Amino acid sequence: MSEEWVENARMIVESARAIVPADGSLERVRKVRFEGPGYDRAVMQEAGELGLFLMRVEEEAGGLGLGMRETCELARVLGRGLLPEPVLAAIMAGAMLQGSMPEEAMTGAQVITWAWQDALGSLGWKGGADGGRIKGTKQAVQGAAGADLFAVLTDQGVALLPRDAVTLQTAESLDGGQLCTISFDSEAEILPCPTAQSVLEDATLAHSAYLLGLSERALEITLEYLRVRKQFDRPIGSFQSLQHRATEMKVSLELSRAAIFATARRFDTGADALTRARGAARVKLRAAELAMHVSREAIQMHGAMGITDEADIGLFVRKAMSEANLFGSPRLLRARLAELLDEGDAA
């Protein structure tokens, strides 16, 4: 069984090389920043043609039925390449819609994203349905500026809205993308979604893996810089104080990697609701703190050039700052973990 998921993950990662260059080139990422929706719709279509949006759709519903370990391996690769396209959001839309996902969205001919967050600074997702209407707002919708379809999560289920049924309020993010608020008020069919909370926890775990990949690549770039940058005719990486700091980053990264894939294994093997909720909050907190830790150290070790637009490491720092608080800020996640620990003690 374990060999099966490893082989699946290997094939998924190989497929993802069509949209994430293996050589680490960020030329395409640079081009789409601050332009249009902040990503390339053609890349979304290529991801759809690769079948990536069907990863979390069950096989009996026409999907691939893959687990969270495969999804996290994909997310890690996307994070290493700073992929700006809302691939993970489309995968989660598919997980909610299952067999009701439109074929155009499966193939990437139309861009689909999901909208779940009721308010900034909150993990609430149950708003948006009012009687027989879909009515309200959703915050921090990834990829909304270029999306054709929106899978809106409510306490009554999920509604699939076309672009002309939503009003967008866009805000440019630090990394050159668009993070949108959508508003809607229309009649729409609301499909049952009994796994809504589980999908949200899956998304939180996948986003943690994205931050892990981002941190991995940022650390590699920083270590390479320490090897070539010289002071007093010596590589600065030979200075003991910098070696200690680099080791601390490496240890944090390995601990985060172990926590994320252990949690993914528990998700795939049938963890109970409390274990899932604790696992998602814990790894997201760890991954966000890792990304910000590596980013701060990268800036310190590169010097002032670390935050410049010309340096690749600057792109990772901006992405980390833009993405670290998605699916909950550290303060919010600590409060959530405290609640979950109390629930476990009371049970």
Side-chain angles (χ1 to χ4, degrees):
M1 185 66 182
S2 60
E3 293 180 356
E4 183 180 346
W5 88 261
V6 171
E7 178 62 14
N8 289 339
R10 185 190 64 77
M11 289 190 291
I12 288 292
V13 168
E14 284 185 3
S15 298
R17 291 304 177 200
I19 55 175
V20 182
D23 64 0
S25 171
L26 297 172
E27 182 179 358
R28 188 188 69 79
V29 173
R30 287 183 180 280
K31 285 182 179 176
V32 299
R33 295 180 310 149
F34 306 109
E35 296 287 341
Y39 62 88
D40 188 347
R41 286 174 57 94
V43 173
M44 283 296 285
Q45 181 157 6
E46 194 162 5
E49 291 169 353
L50 291 170
L52 299 184
F53 304 151
L54 298 175
M55 287 182 66
R56 297 294 291 162
V57 177
E58 299 296 334
E59 289 183 271
E60 53 267 31
L64 300 177
L66 298 178
M68 282 308 300
R69 284 170 288 190
E70 293 94 327
T71 306
C72 285
E73 282 289 1
L74 172 66
R76 191 174 67 85
V77 172
L78 302 184
R80 288 180 61 88
L82 295 183
L83 198 83
E85 284 73 22
V87 171
L88 294 178
I91 290 173
M92 296 307 155
M96 290 196 302
L97 292 166
Q98 293 293 315
S100 298
M101 189 174 186
E103 184 174 348
E104 295 82 0
M106 292 181 189
T107 61
Q110 290 192 329
V111 175
I112 189 170
T113 187
W114 75 321
W116 64 273
Q117 191 172 22
D118 290 338
L120 294 176
S122 163
L123 296 177
W125 55 269
K126 296 185 178 180
D130 186 4
R133 296 182 70 81
I134 186 85
K135 180 179 180 181
T137 62
K138 294 289 182 180
Q139 307 285 338
V141 182
Q142 295 173 286
D148 303 300
L149 297 167
F150 297 81
V152 179
L153 184 61
T154 75
D155 60 342
Q156 296 178 23
V158 57
L160 187 62
L161 300 182
R163 171 65 183 85
D164 58 8
V166 305
T167 301
L168 259 63
Q169 183 179 351
T170 63
E172 199 169 79
S173 56
L174 186 63
D175 63 334
Q178 300 273 352
L179 206 57
C180 300
T181 298
I182 66 168
S183 304
F184 40 84
D185 184 0
S186 64
E187 292 185 355
E189 182 184 7
I190 300 179
L191 305 168
C193 186
T195 60
Q197 183 63 42
S198 295
V199 173
L200 184 57
E201 289 157 358
D202 290 347
T204 304
L205 176 58
H207 185 64
S208 303
Y210 184 96
L211 293 175
L212 172 68
L214 178 157
S215 303
E216 284 177 351
R217 185 65 186 133
L219 178 57
E220 289 170 5
I221 293 172
T222 302
L223 294 180
E224 180 61 26
Y225 182 76
L226 295 183
R227 292 186 192 99
V228 299
R229 177 74 169 90
K230 291 186 176 180
Q231 283 185 349
F232 311 113
D233 293 328
R234 293 172 56 194
I236 60 174
S238 65
F239 300 154
Q240 195 173 46
S241 61
L242 294 184
Q243 289 177 348
H244 287 165
R245 289 162 63 182
T247 301
E248 187 178 345
M249 284 190 284
K250 180 66 174 173
V251 170
S252 296
L253 192 147
E254 293 301 335
L255 290 174
S256 295
R257 190 203 318 274
I260 287 169
F261 283 95
T263 302
R265 180 181 57 78
R266 282 192 285 272
F267 278 26
D268 287 345
T269 53
D272 61 46
L274 185 58
T275 301
R276 287 180 58 90
R278 284 179 175 177
R282 188 180 294 119
V283 296
K284 171 58 183 43
L285 177 60
R286 184 185 284 274
E289 290 184 337
L290 170 70
M292 293 310 301
H293 175 204
V294 172
S295 297
R296 284 193 297 270
E297 289 288 41
I299 293 172
Q300 290 281 328
M301 293 181 182
H302 278 78
M305 65 172 287
I307 196 64
T308 61
D309 204 52
E310 292 75 15
D312 280 353
I313 193 63
L315 301 181
F316 287 85
V317 172
R318 289 168 182 265
K319 178 63 87 174
M321 294 173 70
S322 300
E323 302 264 339
N325 284 345
L326 295 180
F327 298 96
S329 66
R331 176 181 294 183
L332 186 63
L333 292 171
R334 287 191 181 93
R336 175 67 176 147
L337 279 170
E339 291 174 4
L340 293 168
L341 289 172
D342 288 343
E343 286 182 24
D345 292 340

